[in-house]
């Protein structure tokens, strides 16, 4: 399966991506995670990306597109992949289509996780993430089993720097202007599928499996 996950910040893309990538044995590729890893390791890419992430702005397309192409060229993407947080602009979506078409391939679906704006702020400000394996938690909706420690790998979970109320608002604004047009883009290509992202995490996953099962047929 070749899947693109769409949805506003805080929709649960990263949360569902963990389950989907396990179920379908495909790599979970999150551009946000790639940027954060590079920032924490202070690589040249990290130095370039940091100010954009801190401000909730998009890293320029010319940087982001090449990173994803390189990643998709790796062996583990041969049987499929799950893109989380990419594409985020129409330009990125076109570049992805071109890249895949060049190999005679295309995505199976762009899956939109639909969550109303009102729910997002609480999800984001209560989020804790694992800097080591990328797992996502929530102090109220999805707490770690041991306080402050990642269930999957035991590392200390942290709060993302861009999860403050004002940066979340900026990110939602960027989403509306630059990313939301992708819904129409994929709809036009008959590649859009949608799930309701409200309710409990495992209920959302059930809906995701149903939708992906229908796509796979
Ligand atoms: P990125 O890391 O992609 O952030 P985002 O899109 O803003 O999305 P989030 O990771 O915030 O939300 P999510 O949907 O993954 O939600 P999660 O599952 O964690 O990007 C960060 C930055 O990197 C961007 O601002 C930009 O600067 C840069 N960037 C990345 N990609 C780029 C690109 N392609 N081009 C240019 N720049 C790029 O869930 C959120 C919280 O809710 C968690 O606490 C979770 O536990 C909780 N939760 C999840 N599901 C539920 C549920 N059903 N009920 C209750 N709580 C839930
Ligand atoms: Mg995420
Ligand atoms: Zn972890």
């Amino acid at each position: 399966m070749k899947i693109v996950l769409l949805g506003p910040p805080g929709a649960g893309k990263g949360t569902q991506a963990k389950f989907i990538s396990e179920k379908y044995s495909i790599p979970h590729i999150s551009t946000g995670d790639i940027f954060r890893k590079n920032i924490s390791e202070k690589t040249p890419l990290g130095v370039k990306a940091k100010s954009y992430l801190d401000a909730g702005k998009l890293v320029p397309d010319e940087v982001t597109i090449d990173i994803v192409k390189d990643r998709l060229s790796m062996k583990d993407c041969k049987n499929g992949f799950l893109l989380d947080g990419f594409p985020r602009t129409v330009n990125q979506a076109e570049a992805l289509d071109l890249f895949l078409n060049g190999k005679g391939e295309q995505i199976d679906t762009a899956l939109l996780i639909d969550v109303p704006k009102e729910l997002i702020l609480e999800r984001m400000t209560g989020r804790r993430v694992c800097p080591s394996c990328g797992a996502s938690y929530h102090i109220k909706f999805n707490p770690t089993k041991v306080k402050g420690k990642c269930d999957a790998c035991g590392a200390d979970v942290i709060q993302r720097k861009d999860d403050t109320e004002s940066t979340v608002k900026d990110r939602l604004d960027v989403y509306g202007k630059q990313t939301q047009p992708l819904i129409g883009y994929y709809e036009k290509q008959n590649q859009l599928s949608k799930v309701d992202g409200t309710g409990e995490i495992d209920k959302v996953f059930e809906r995701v499996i149903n939708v992906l099962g229908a796509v796979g047929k």
Side-chain angles (χ1 to χ4, degrees):
M1 284 278 252
K2 300 185 185 74
I3 305 165
V4 161
L5 277 186
L6 284 180
K13 300 182 295 297
T15 303
Q16 296 299 326
K18 287 269 167 220
F19 300 134
I20 299 168
S21 90
E22 237 165 69
K23 171 150 178 93
Y24 291 95
S25 303
I26 47 176
H28 168 206
I29 302 169
S30 155
T31 38
D33 286 349
I34 293 173
F35 290 133
R36 280 184 291 277
K37 184 162 189 283
N38 278 274
I39 290 170
S40 78
E41 290 169 359
K42 298 196 169 66
T43 66
L45 170 63
V47 171
K48 224 185 272 174
K50 186 172 187 309
S51 60
Y52 296 102
L53 272 92
D54 285 352
K57 301 237 160 63
L58 296 186
V59 177
D61 284 346
E62 54 275 24
V63 177
T64 310
I65 289 169
D66 282 344
I67 289 165
V68 174
K69 282 190 196 166
D70 284 349
R71 182 64 189 86
L72 292 179
S73 304
M74 288 165 84
K75 250 211 207 124
D76 63 338
C77 295
K78 258 214 160 111
N79 296 320
F81 52 77
L82 175 62
L83 282 169
D84 161 11
F86 182 96
R88 245 181 162 90
T89 61
V90 170
N91 196 19
Q92 290 179 10
E94 287 170 349
L96 175 65
D97 281 345
L98 260 178
F99 175 76
L100 294 174
N101 292 345
K103 303 194 287 178
E105 295 171 7
Q106 58 175 31
I107 61 162
D108 293 293
T109 192
L111 177 64
L112 172 67
I113 304 182
D114 213 3
V115 174
K117 262 191 181 170
E118 306 80 77
L119 294 182
I120 285 175
L121 203 60
E122 190 184 12
R123 284 197 184 185
M124 306 293 271
T125 48
R127 171 163 60 184
R128 297 294 180 269
V129 294
C130 173
S132 177
C133 75
S136 198
Y137 302 94
H138 191 283
I139 49 173
K140 184 164 142 198
F141 304 128
N142 182 26
T144 54
K145 291 194 181 93
V146 178
K147 197 168 177 257
K149 302 275 179 204
C150 175
D151 292 351
C153 75
D156 288 338
V157 297
I158 56 165
Q159 183 160 27
R160 259 170 57 174
K161 231 184 142 178
D162 59 348
D163 276 349
T164 59
E165 193 170 330
S166 79
T167 311
V168 170
K169 285 187 174 145
D170 290 339
R171 285 161 58 201
L172 281 170
D173 205 38
V174 167
Y175 174 79
K177 289 197 179 107
Q178 294 184 262
T179 308
Q180 225 163 6
L182 290 182
I183 297 172
Y185 176 91
Y186 285 117
E187 215 160 24
K188 230 187 256 162
Q189 304 193 151
N190 279 323
Q191 290 175 315
L192 188 76
S193 45
K194 225 188 265 187
V195 287
D196 172 4
T198 62
E200 279 166 30
I201 290 172
D202 49 353
K203 288 279 169 336
V204 176
F205 184 52
E206 271 172 32
R207 290 178 209 137
V208 167
I209 292 178
N210 281 335
V211 169
L212 291 180
V215 166
K217 272 170 203 151

